């Protein structure tokens, strides 16, 4: 039967297995909140050969895109239809001219790390987010700027992002080394190592 194509995904299909919906926005940080002003923040992207550093103005020079997306935390809460503004990671990679190395290690101010496959940063909606629901991103949620990788569990979305190193070898980040799944796809329920 024709007519179903393009139909928005039903609300129930948008909730990954084992998740519940929340209207709150819980804060989850494995240490102190980093409090950085926009002037203090910068992001370095490197593949070991080509390197680019973006400060607040340099990031905004690309113009902000709006993304409305669902987010999922491994602690079982999900939020549907959250709206963010930021700059696509793929835009920054193109500007720096990085090689397509297969993995990324992302580092935050304060030392948090998380690892990703290149494709998860460039083939979906990953962005450096600076606004949430029309407001500057609060410090506790990673402001002034965080990584947002909405199709993976939220521990991949490094708050106060400071570096993205593209690398040949995959290295587990903070939670991945502590037993979380290396990839973290919520629809495959990849919560812990071995899932
Ligand atoms: N720098 C940094 N980023 C981080 C974390 C952290 O502890 N430090 N926690 C991660 C985890 S486990 C989750 S669930 C989300 C939570 O984001 P929120 O506090 O904005 O809800 O941030 C992720 N990014
Ligand atoms: Mo988390």
């Amino acid at each position: 039967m024709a007519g179903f194509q393009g139909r928005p995904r039903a609300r129930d299909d948008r909730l990954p297995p084992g998740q519940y919906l929340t209207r709150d926005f819980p804060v989850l940080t494995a240490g102190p909140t980093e409090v950085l002003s926009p002037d203090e923040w910068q992001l370095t992207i490197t593949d070991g050969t080509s390197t680019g550093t973006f400060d607040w103005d340099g990031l905004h020079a690309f113009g902000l895109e709006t993304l409305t997306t669902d987010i999922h935390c491994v602690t079982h809460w999900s939020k549907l239809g959250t709206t963010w503004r930021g700059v696509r990671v793929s835009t920054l990679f193109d500007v720096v001219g990085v090689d397509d190395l297969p993995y990324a290690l992302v580092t935050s101010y304060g030392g948090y790390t998380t690892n990703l496959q290149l494709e998860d940063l460039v083939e979906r909606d990953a962005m450096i987010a600076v606004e949430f629901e029309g407001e500057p991103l609060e410090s506790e949620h990673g402001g002034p700027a965080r990584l947002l990788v909405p199709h993976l569990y939220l521990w991949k979305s490094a708050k106060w992002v400071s570096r993205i190193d593209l690398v040949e070898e995959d290295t587990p980040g903070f939670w991945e080394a502590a037993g979380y799944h290396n990839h973290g796809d919520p629809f495959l329920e990849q919560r812990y190592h071995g899932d």
Side-chain angles (χ1 to χ4, degrees), residues 16-20 22 25-28 70-79 150 152-155 180 186 191:
Q19 297 293 108
Y20 68 87
T22 182
F25 192 2
V27 173
L28 287 125
D70 303 340
I71 56 175
H72 313 288
C73 177
V74 73
T75 61
H76 299 275
W77 56 265
S78 292
K79 287 176 78 62
L152 299 178
Y153 283 125
L154 212 53
W155 86 76
Y180 280 29
R191 295 178 193 276

Side-chain angles (χ1 to χ4, degrees), residues 67-133:
L67 173 68
T68 297
T69 189
D70 303 340
I71 56 175
H72 313 288
C73 177
V74 73
T75 61
H76 299 275
W77 56 265
S78 292
K79 287 176 78 62
L80 303 187
T82 57
T83 299
W84 303 77
R85 298 194 80 214
V87 177
R88 278 181 189 269
V89 173
S90 58
T91 300
L92 302 179
F93 285 0
D94 288 348
V95 167
V96 179
V98 287
D99 286 339
D100 286 349
L101 300 184
Y103 302 104
L105 186 65
V106 180
T107 305
S108 297
Y109 287 89
Y112 182 85
T113 55
T114 188
N115 58 312
L116 293 122
Q117 297 172 17
L118 177 69
E119 61 203 44
D120 286 311
L121 288 177
V122 299
E123 286 176 11
R124 302 283 294 269
D125 290 328
M127 64 157 55
I128 305 301
V130 296
E131 288 182 19
F132 175 74
E133 303 299 355

